[in-house]
Amino acid sequence: MVRNLIISASKANQLYWLGRYQERVYMTLHLLHKCYDQMIDGNPEKYHALRNALDPSNSYTDNEAFALGMVYDENNPSSVFSALNHAMDNAILLREDIYTETLSYIELSISLMKKCKKENKINFTLLQYITDWSLAFWGSAEQRIFNTRILTLMMIGRHVEFLDMMLRYNYDLKRITLSYKTLKKYLLEIPASVDSDAANQLDALLVEEAFNLSDEEYKQKVIKYVNQMIKI
């Protein structure tokens, strides 16, 4: 078994961002599906709150344009298609490290996304395949990647993105602190990747006494430290 081989700074960065973008695909689809369900259930208050979180600049004029844009708009850095393309850009450079079987789940997702985009409508039955393939990507990575440092760098990216999105979309403290503990477990394996000042700030902010995502200043501060904490 290969363990902790030296990895260049550029490759470490590619692994980290591959993890982030692949998790962004999964979480964005999850949130969009949740948003869509609330819309059709006639729950406009929750629906609009989630839509505003996904599209804070109100880039799309109506619900249909919003759904299409958040899935297919390659010029929107928050869209599913944009995240998939960025994941693919990194994965191709890492093919020999993550192996073709793992890369294939991103290739399948992009192929299906292009097919769905031509229809110019949201088909959550088909998009569920992309959600499933996002999870299969991680299963393949854990099964096939024996260089523990490569897998750890990807998992750090995955859990930073997961934590970042949960903060942005107002998850509860229990979910967020569980995610933070998981992230710190991976960071222990590569301690040089941690900005200790940012980590200490997060330790002080992610406690019941301080937690308040309805306070925008607090929320932006926590998100900032989550993204500053990693030195990759």
Side-chain angles (χ1 to χ4, degrees), residues 15 18 39 42 59 63 78 83 85 101 103 106 111 115 131 134 137 146 157 161 164 172 177 187 191 218 228:
L15 290 162
L18 172 57
M39 180 181 70
S59 306
N63 291 341
S78 299
N85 284 329
E101 293 86 352
L103 172 64
I106 303 178
S111 178
K115 178 182 177 181
T131 302
S134 295
F137 169 90
F146 296 114
E161 187 67 26
D164 177 281
D172 60 61
T177 52
L187 292 174
Y218 168 87
Q228 285 183 352

Side-chain angles (χ1 to χ4, degrees), residues 30-112:
H30 169 72
L31 289 164
L32 280 170
H33 205 161
K34 181 178 179 181
C35 189
Y36 180 78
D37 286 345
Q38 290 174 342
M39 180 181 70
I40 63 176
D41 286 344
N43 196 340
E45 183 178 344
K46 289 186 177 181
Y47 166 72
H48 288 299
L50 188 54
R51 176 178 166 178
N52 289 338
L54 284 165
D55 181 33
S57 60
N58 293 312
S59 306
Y60 304 105
T61 55
D62 54 42
N63 291 341
E64 182 179 3
F66 160 73
L68 289 170
M70 288 302 301
V71 176
Y72 301 127
D73 187 353
E74 295 178 72
N75 295 316
N76 178 353
S78 299
S79 76
V80 177
F81 209 170
S82 180
L84 270 174
N85 284 329
H86 286 304
M88 182 60 124
D89 290 342
N90 286 285
I92 288 174
L93 296 172
L94 297 163
R95 182 189 292 271
E96 294 183 2
D97 301 288
I98 67 172
Y99 303 107
T100 300
E101 293 86 352
T102 305
L103 172 64
S104 68
Y105 290 108
I106 303 178
E107 292 175 325
L108 284 168
S109 297
I110 289 178
S111 178
L112 181 57

Side-chain angles (χ1 to χ4, degrees), residues 3-226:
R3 290 184 181 273
N4 298 332
L5 298 179
I6 295 173
I7 297 172
S8 68
S10 61
K11 182 174 287 188
N13 185 264
Q14 290 158 4
L15 290 162
Y16 170 74
W17 281 103
L18 172 57
R20 289 202 66 160
Y21 285 124
Q22 192 59 23
E23 184 64 15
R24 191 174 301 176
V25 169
Y26 173 81
M27 281 295 290
T28 304
L29 281 171
H30 169 72
L31 289 164
L32 280 170
H33 205 161
K34 181 178 179 181
C35 189
Y36 180 78
D37 286 345
Q38 290 174 342
M39 180 181 70
I40 63 176
D41 286 344
N43 196 340
E45 183 178 344
K46 289 186 177 181
Y47 166 72
H48 288 299
L50 188 54
R51 176 178 166 178
N52 289 338
L54 284 165
D55 181 33
S57 60
N58 293 312
S59 306
Y60 304 105
T61 55
D62 54 42
N63 291 341
E64 182 179 3
F66 160 73
L68 289 170
M70 288 302 301
V71 176
Y72 301 127
D73 187 353
E74 295 178 72
N75 295 316
N76 178 353
S78 299
S79 76
V80 177
F81 209 170
S82 180
L84 270 174
N85 284 329
H86 286 304
M88 182 60 124
D89 290 342
N90 286 285
I92 288 174
L93 296 172
L94 297 163
R95 182 189 292 271
E96 294 183 2
D97 301 288
I98 67 172
Y99 303 107
T100 300
E101 293 86 352
T102 305
L103 172 64
S104 68
Y105 290 108
I106 303 178
E107 292 175 325
L108 284 168
S109 297
I110 289 178
S111 178
L112 181 57
M113 183 66 75
K114 288 178 178 178
K115 178 182 177 181
C116 292
K117 186 177 181 180
K118 288 180 180 178
E119 298 176 0
N120 198 37
K121 63 181 181 181
I122 301 299
N123 185 331
F124 277 109
T125 301
L126 289 179
L127 291 175
Q128 183 62 43
Y129 285 108
I130 297 177
T131 302
D132 294 342
W133 289 334
S134 295
L135 296 174
F137 169 90
W138 290 110
S140 178
E142 291 181 326
Q143 183 180 48
R144 291 180 169 86
I145 298 174
F146 296 114
N147 184 324
T148 56
R149 189 168 291 263
I150 283 175
L151 187 58
T152 296
L153 286 163
M154 290 171 61
M155 295 302 288
I156 288 172
R158 180 187 190 185
H159 287 284
V160 167
E161 187 67 26
F162 186 42
L163 184 56
D164 177 281
M165 293 192 76
M166 285 199 297
L167 287 163
R168 292 180 189 276
Y169 304 125
N170 299 323
Y171 277 63
D172 60 61
L173 178 61
K174 182 178 179 179
R175 294 284 302 278
I176 288 169
T177 52
L178 284 172
S179 176
Y180 184 42
K181 287 178 181 177
T182 302
L183 172 60
K184 289 200 289 186
K185 180 187 72 174
Y186 287 105
L187 292 174
L188 286 174
E189 298 181 33
I190 312 180
S193 67
V194 183
D195 182 314
S196 58
D197 289 337
N200 289 337
Q201 291 286 350
L202 280 174
D203 289 342
L205 289 166
L206 292 178
V207 294
E208 187 171 359
E209 295 79 10
F211 187 78
N212 183 11
L213 291 181
S214 63
D215 181 339
E216 191 62 26
E217 183 178 353
Y218 168 87
K219 183 176 182 177
Q220 293 305 317
K221 186 184 294 185
V222 177
I223 291 171
K224 179 185 73 172
Y225 287 130
V226 165

